Amino acid sequence: MTRALSFDRRAVLAGLAALPLAGPARGGEPLTLWGIPGTPSAVFAGAVASERFQSAAPGARFEIWKSTDQLRAGIASGAFRLFASSTYAAANFFNRGAGTRMVNVVTWGVLYVMARDDRIRSIADLAGRRVLLSNKNEAPDLLFRMVLGWAGLDPDRDLRLDYVGSPGEAVPLFLSGRGDVALLHEPAATAAQIRAEREGLPLIRALDIAEIYGQHTGRGPRIPQVGLAVSAEFLDRAPEIVAAAHAACIEAADWAQADPAAAGALAAPHLGLAPEIVARSLPFVRLDVVTARQAQQDIETYFQHLMALAPGIVAHRLPDADFYWG
């Protein structure tokens, strides 16, 4: 697959750095592809830097949105035309009339239970444990509660959930001894492992939530979590750029898996992380770029499970067929 790429490591690094602050997407208007603040943005950054995408949208830029509030405001104002998003957030925007469409799914599982030893071998082994975690009432929390329930555990009674504000907060607290295990998504899980190695602390990736999810659903370890989304207005106005972006994501995912060091070096400055963290995180985010329409059954299965715990997470209904591009 890597032979098909239209960029190499030096070309990508030099190309993205050399891009102007804004460039024309159509009619002189600048286009920015907004990445998510996490490891999958190595794919989106590589896609923007590729010859394929730059040919379709000359001078296009790559930036990272920093918060859900910024994402929401960008969509509401029309400033965000092409952007990375969790699938459930994009569906929520769509169902609330924002016009958001899902172009593809890029990553299929980023959530892990980290432990200090190998005694944690199943979800059932978490009974009675103190779990350090973040993102209360968001997808990581809901996924964890979901798999606990499937194992017959009441998350509010059979173990102790110790919430902190962010995965970044959870890492040093867990390494300093707080909690018996930690629920971390990438790249925080990899950052914790690297720091533990340097400090001589024991830390293992005990449980893969995507594996457990796949065993229950029968669909394999595939949680359709993050992909590229687009505004309906931009999709109508520039469908060829959207198609080029998707194709560039496929190429960039192949490249990132073949050369994680280069992908880490490209994305790290945007994410405010060390390149090593991004590079070592990439194998743990299950990169596989497919159109949203191809992924529709997986997405709907995922949403149905989320809605069983929090119906409002996608605005109380599955999105209709127009949500899915491809």
Side-chain angles (χ1 to χ4, degrees), residues 25-252:
R26 180 68 67 84
E29 298 177 7
L31 175 64
T32 297
L33 190 155
W34 291 88
I36 197 165
T39 306
S41 276
V43 171
F44 301 122
V48 172
S50 71
E51 180 181 337
R52 180 188 294 275
F53 192 77
Q54 288 296 317
S55 294
R61 294 286 297 170
F62 177 73
E63 300 287 348
I64 298 283
W65 53 262
K66 301 298 193 295
S67 68
T68 303
D69 286 342
Q70 184 188 5
L71 176 64
R72 185 181 296 112
I75 292 169
S77 67
F80 280 26
R81 292 174 289 171
L82 197 57
F83 52 95
S85 172
S86 64
T87 54
Y88 76 85
N92 190 298
F93 293 132
F94 174 83
N95 281 342
R96 293 181 183 277
T100 301
R101 303 292 193 270
M102 202 77 210
V103 176
N104 60 28
V105 176
V106 168
T107 187
W108 295 80
V110 299
L111 194 60
Y112 298 88
V113 173
M114 311 298 286
R116 298 186 179 89
D117 56 50
D118 63 1
R119 289 178 293 175
I120 305 298
R121 299 180 180 179
S122 71
I123 288 291
D125 293 334
L126 296 176
R129 307 279 183 172
R130 183 181 183 185
V131 182
L132 192 64
L133 71 167
S134 62
N135 299 91
K136 189 171 185 177
N137 297 324
E138 296 181 23
D141 181 31
L142 295 176
L143 277 167
F144 187 54
R145 288 174 172 270
M146 188 187 301
V147 299
L148 288 171
W150 292 342
L153 297 177
D154 182 333
D156 298 314
R157 186 176 60 196
D158 295 328
L159 59 165
R160 291 174 292 168
L161 300 184
D162 183 2
Y163 289 97
V164 296
S166 69
E169 272 184 72
V171 169
L173 290 172
F174 183 61
L175 293 179
S176 69
R178 181 165 159 179
D180 299 312
V181 299
L183 181 74
L184 298 175
H185 55 271
E186 290 296 339
T190 294
Q193 284 196 306
I194 291 173
R195 180 166 169 177
E197 290 167 6
R198 292 175 179 167
E199 297 179 11
L201 301 172
L203 186 64
I204 63 171
R205 209 176 280 263
L207 301 174
D208 180 342
I209 299 301
E211 290 281 356
I212 297 165
Y213 174 92
Q215 290 164 10
H216 184 86
T217 63
R219 300 192 63 80
R222 291 173 69 79
I223 306 175
Q225 290 186 278
V226 173
L228 189 65
V230 64
S231 72
E233 181 274 335
F234 189 71
L235 178 58
D236 289 343
R237 186 161 55 91
E240 74 285 0
I241 294 180
V242 176
H246 171 64
C249 284
I250 294 173
E251 294 179 349

Side-chain angles (χ1 to χ4, degrees), residues 87 101-105 108 228 246 289-299 323-326:
T87 54
R101 303 292 193 270
M102 202 77 210
V103 176
N104 60 28
V105 176
W108 295 80
L228 189 65
H246 171 64
V289 181
V290 301
T291 68
R293 192 164 301 283
Q294 289 174 308
Q296 183 172 347
Q297 189 171 352
D298 282 308
I299 292 171
F323 175 66
Y324 301 94
W325 179 90

